[in-house]
Amino acid sequence: MSNVSSNQIFAWIERYAAHIAEQKDYLTELDAAIGDGDHGANMHRGLQAVLAKKAELQNTDVGVLLKGVAMTLISTIGGASGALYGTFFLQASTTAEGKTELSSTEFGSLLEKGLAGIVLRGKAALGDKTMIDALQPAIKAYKRSIESGEVREDALSKAVSAAERGLKSTIPLIARKGRASYLGERSAGHPDPGASSSVLLFRSAAETLC
Amino acid sequence: MSNVSSNQIFAWIERYAAHIAEQKDYLTELDAAIGDGDHGANMHRGLQAVLAKKAELQNTDVGVLLKGVAMTLISTIGGASGALYGTFFLQASTTAEGKTELSSTEFGSLLEKGLAGIVLRGKAALGDKTMIDALQPAIKAYKRSIESGEVREDALSKAVSAAERGLKSTIPLIARKGRASYLGERSAGHPDPGASSSVLLFRSAAETLC
Amino acid sequence: MALPASFSLSFLSILISCSHAILPQDMKKLINLPENVVVESITGFGAAFSNLVKVHTNANYITRADAPAKDKVALVSGGGSGHEPMHGGFVGRGMLDAACPGAVFTSPTPDQMFEATKAVNGGKGVLQIVKNYTGDVLNFEMAADLARAEGIEVEAVVIDDDVAVKDSLWTAGRRGVGTTVLAEKICGAAAEAGHSLKEVVALCHNVNANGRSMGMALTSCTVPHVGKPTFDLPEDEMEIGIGIHGEPGRTRTKLKSADEITEMLLAPIVADLPLRARDEVLLFVNSMGGTPLLELFVVYGKAHEILTKAGIKVARSLVGPYITSLEMAGASITVLKLDNQMTKLWDAPVLTPALRWGV
Amino acid sequence: MALPASFSLSFLSILISCSHAILPQDMKKLINLPENVVVESITGFGAAFSNLVKVHTNANYITRADAPAKDKVALVSGGGSGHEPMHGGFVGRGMLDAACPGAVFTSPTPDQMFEATKAVNGGKGVLQIVKNYTGDVLNFEMAADLARAEGIEVEAVVIDDDVAVKDSLWTAGRRGVGTTVLAEKICGAAAEAGHSLKEVVALCHNVNANGRSMGMALTSCTVPHVGKPTFDLPEDEMEIGIGIHGEPGRTRTKLKSADEITEMLLAPIVADLPLRARDEVLLFVNSMGGTPLLELFVVYGKAHEILTKAGIKVARSLVGPYITSLEMAGASITVLKLDNQMTKLWDAPVLTPALRWGV
Ligand SMILES: Nc1ncnc2c1ncn2[C@@H]1O[C@H](COP(=O)(O)OP(=O)(O)O)[C@@H](O)[C@H]1O
Ligand SMILES: Nc1ncnc2c1ncn2[C@@H]1O[C@H](COP(=O)(O)OP(=O)(O)O)[C@@H](O)[C@H]1O
Ligand SMILES: [Mg+2]
Ligand SMILES: [Mg+2]
Ligand SMILES: [Mg+2]
Ligand SMILES: [Mg+2]
């Protein structure tokens, strides 16, 4: 199976922007239920800003590309998701400096590094009802699949399923991090907005990186 | 025909308070359409305050009684109607100093003096779309009836009809005085709130002074 | 006694149709009983600003804590409640000596004004600053009669600056709105500086002659003792030229952008004054209550830009909720053409609950 | 590529169901395009208060007109827009050196904070006053990293005073609300008086430790770029313990009287601090935006009465819309237990668009 090219990585981000654009009102509604009703608008603002930089982000190496994505998200989103997704891409970019393509395994390491950044910055753990509940199982599923010799297409497909299960698992949880935590028990019964946008991140990957 | 006693005058005011209490929301609605939506509340506040002074207002002469009504309305209503109805009763009281009963003719003079006070204070004329449009024809009808030898019951009944016609006549008018005047042409098509409360004043008289 | 048929049938039936009970619990308001709201509110106000003002709940009026101020003209204003911080918030050094709050949106009564006048009279006479509403004018006149009967020199200046209303000798004339705040500040400074009653009266007329306002509403407000919105405004409409008591305005139109609305408010003001290039003005952009500062500064920014582009110098500014209509969403713009005296007096120290600088 | 069935059916169908276009004309707001509201608003703000502040629209931050102030600790704060006058209205002598407004109800970004920090750094270090929301905390942390990398000494104090939220080591902890305003005033005075960064940091922790708040809402607000109310609140209900971004609160109950609501807000504050007879406090009664002063003073009056009856001395007060949630109707109460130092610093001169005294 072929490597992931930097053009594909850009296509991934572009697709992610498209999914977010389409779902922004829904994400915002999820956030209104247990947060402050801006997650969709936040992500949309950030990803549109990334698209506006298409010229400078295309046709560079993956490191420069992802660092550009990170800095743009950080400087245009604000809010928890700006810092966290920004950190994800910033840390991810450090694994791809100078590279114009990545093996499936390298891509897995990239994801893992990104997630580690989120955990370090946000200090949340699995089960706190955050984006981590979608990201962590998805990345784990991807890695296990690749390690067991499956093709990237299958690995990504399994990652999407794992992310979705992770998202679903957030529904009954009582939030311990982020704004939803202020609600205490009233946060139970709602899916986490950040976990929803993370599902879309993997969905975009499955649609573009195979 | 018997004279009007000071007890009857008090009964008139009491009845007026009852009518206002019943119609206060309607008067307020009329005022909301072309004014500021407080005429019912204003009149109600004032007349309830008068009722609260029942002990000191009953069993005095008509002059003291009406002066007490006037001062109470003036000090509790505020707004145009407080000053104007207050002035009406204040001026009316000056015609009845020391009297414990009034002939039908004297009662007519009392009304006329009260109206003159309103005109002097508010500087409005017939057709300006104010309480004067109900009061003036009502008082005229009363006087003419008494002068032509009819009994007070009939004179008051004619006064009520004249007040009602006066109220009706305000509907198409463009207001030239009071808050409704700010509306210009948009004030046409609505009855004047003060003319409505003036109809109730004569209705109360017809119900109590015969 | 037989009532005429027309009365008992048509009139009565109209009259009775609409009455309904009002419970305070029906209203989204932080109040107890509607009939107590003004007294409870000014009591709280007095507790919060006891260093600046004194609240008298016998006749409901507010004076400077140090009243009567000796050897200065005293300024008394007042009007219906629901326009806070006006007028109580403007009582203090360099502005009003007393304020008389009426029931919500209802003029105060002569006895309030009379008591306030006696309490602040320092011997140099009393100026009543009256907004041009029949109720306010008539009640202040009655109060002035009472005060004069006790030998107090009283003059009244009626503020009528609302260009939404056509001015005419044959009507009640224009309403008094935003310029009132500016007149109270400027005349208060003049009184503080020792000007005579005659001079302060002339100055107040001058401020009124050079101030013009126009307002608009996006939503209605609800008067506590009424319990439902004063008027209905469909979801996609606004009212241009609204009064501060929810009186209907000039026109009702579809919602427009802040820039367009700002132009609609400013154009008649500029035309009516009229303003010319090189004039210096004070630009006062006021929230009707429910419009947040975030939006108000958008309007201010546009108004500032329009005036500046026309060569008019915005020399002074006031932005915020100063003459409000309870929780009504909307804004008004007031422009005051300044001269040197007015600018100097505007800048003079003021120490009140709602406006303070220079001290 | 074949997507798993569960995804394309259940998940996707939920996701797509609710999207709809938003036109600004749908909203009763004085704005132009929702995406421009913050920049247009701070531009207008800058024009109105050009003598006090300078607005930088490159990275969206507001500094004192005379920044950087030499030889004093600089105070930087910020947060989502929609809480005006906080924080921009508190920039000026004796309070903040810079404020960073984010999008409405969204934390600002690290580059705004970084630019603001550089612009106000006077060499004695910079204190970030941060309200405890994950977004604010994380973005301020990133900004601090950037500033420290350039050799600027930066400390952060996180304000978490909202007793509506249960505090815990395992969660994001309590929200930062009303005490933020008091901390900015008190620490601003300390910085002005020449205190070191270490001292101002300690003081800020002390203010935070002694301040508690709780808020409630009668109505929701509408975020411009969302276009509809953040939450639905039935006509006869209210939300107790609401956050300043429309986050749901502790409980939703039937409407109650102002007196009852005041007790519901004050009791958990008094218990949590805890307050005892003879304590001296600053009582801050805040409007969420849509609640008019008339009502706010009713709440203040009751809160003052409750505390006084409990033997607690209300030594200082602040009443008004200072930390708002756009046009939300409701109020919050903050009580700060005072010591001599805090009282002295509270009284010290302040000259900002929203708070000024002593100068
Ligand atoms: N400490 C944290 N660690 C990881 N993710 C978090 C944390 N706090 C919040 N999140 C995620 O951020 C999402 C909210 O993002 P968003 O609404 O854009 O920001 P904000 O909460 O500042 O409004 C939550 O749904 C959650 O998934
Ligand atoms: N100048 C005037 N002369 C006579 N009546 C007037 C005048 N101005 C107003 N009114 C009457 O007062 C009524 C309004 O009273 P009210 O609503 O109680 O006072 P306000 O207008 O101060 O709110 C009007 O309907 C009108 O009949
Ligand atoms: Mg959010
Ligand atoms: Mg009225
Ligand atoms: Mg009125
Ligand atoms: Mg947010």
Side-chain angles (χ1 to χ4, degrees), chain A residues 31 36 38-39 42 79-81 84 122 124 130-131 178-179 192-194, chain D residues 134:
Chain A
D31 196 33
D36 60 348
D38 62 0
H39 186 58
N42 286 348
S81 51
L84 292 169
T130 71
M131 54 177 69
R179 265 177 219 287
D192 176 62
Chain D
T134 305

Side-chain angles (χ1 to χ4, degrees), chain B residues 31 36 38 42 79-80 179, chain C residues 104-107 245:
Chain B
D31 196 32
D36 60 349
D38 61 0
N42 287 348
R179 264 176 220 288
Chain C
V104 174
F105 289 0
T106 297
S107 151
H245 310 90

